[in-house]
Amino acid sequence: MAIKVITQNKKARHEYEILEKYEAGIVLQGSEVKALRAGRANLNDAYCRFIKGELYLLNAHIGHLDTTNKHFAKDDRAPRKLLMHKKELDKLYGKVSKDGLTIVPLMIYFNERNLAKVSIALARGKKLHDKRETLKRRTLEKEAKIAMKNRSY
């Protein structure tokens, strides 16, 4: 059984150079899990930050279903705690604090055991010329593929 991707952060791959990827669990309420299953999530402008030694997902939008009681409905962009092993957290904290790297969420998905997970990455911000270089390389690869397809023998 494969994973079921709920949402992806395509902007992160454009803005950052991905160095390492990690998988983290996420603390959710029941109504938020139902909203994820309905596909009501968005990772644009989301980021991760350490608060009191724990890793949190900030500014990620997980909407409410219409059937959710408004009294129990949480804020759509509330901070959500990410669950990882202590060794991984210490490693990430060291790299973020010493090397000036950033932790960005890449996607939210349900794994094989049907648990909600967040794929996060240790990343370094790209400069403008790096972004241009990436775009040039992609267009050249596309043109080469098209030329190979159209080539007749």
Side-chain angles (χ1 to χ4, degrees), residues 134-151:
T134 305
L135 289 173
K136 278 184 194 176
R137 185 172 37 82
R138 282 189 196 148
T139 55
L140 288 175
E141 288 173 1
K142 256 187 208 177
E143 289 172 359
K145 280 185 181 179
I146 291 171
M148 291 298 287
K149 281 184 180 179
N150 293 338
R151 193 171 145 188

Side-chain angles (χ1 to χ4, degrees), residues 19-107:
L19 303 175
E20 294 180 38
K21 290 183 184 178
Y22 295 93
E23 180 183 68
I26 184 170
V27 177
L28 298 170
Q29 293 179 342
S31 61
E32 292 175 326
V33 175
K34 289 180 181 181
L36 280 180
R37 291 196 191 285
R40 294 186 178 222
N42 191 353
L43 283 179
N44 290 349
D45 302 328
Y47 58 97
C48 298
R49 178 163 290 162
F50 281 96
I51 301 173
K52 295 183 182 177
E54 296 177 341
L55 189 61
Y56 283 88
L57 177 66
L58 303 170
N59 211 19
H61 181 270
I62 297 178
H64 300 295
L65 294 177
D66 298 333
T67 58
T68 305
N69 188 338
K70 302 299 182 216
H71 179 69
F72 295 110
K74 209 173 161 184
D75 180 27
D76 289 349
R77 295 191 179 272
R80 292 170 177 89
K81 185 176 175 182
L82 296 179
L83 306 172
M84 296 177 74
H85 290 285
K86 186 70 175 164
K87 285 183 181 180
E88 288 179 327
L89 285 174
D90 292 341
K91 182 179 174 184
L92 280 174
Y93 185 73
K95 289 191 176 186
V96 167
S97 60
K98 290 179 187 171
D99 300 337
L101 300 176
T102 308
I103 303 173
V104 294
L106 298 178
M107 69 177 162

Side-chain angles (χ1 to χ4, degrees), residues 114-130:
N114 219 8
L115 299 172
K117 299 286 183 178
V118 178
S119 175
I120 60 174
L122 196 60
R124 179 181 298 123
K126 282 186 182 178
K127 304 283 190 246
L128 183 61
H129 59 83
D130 293 335

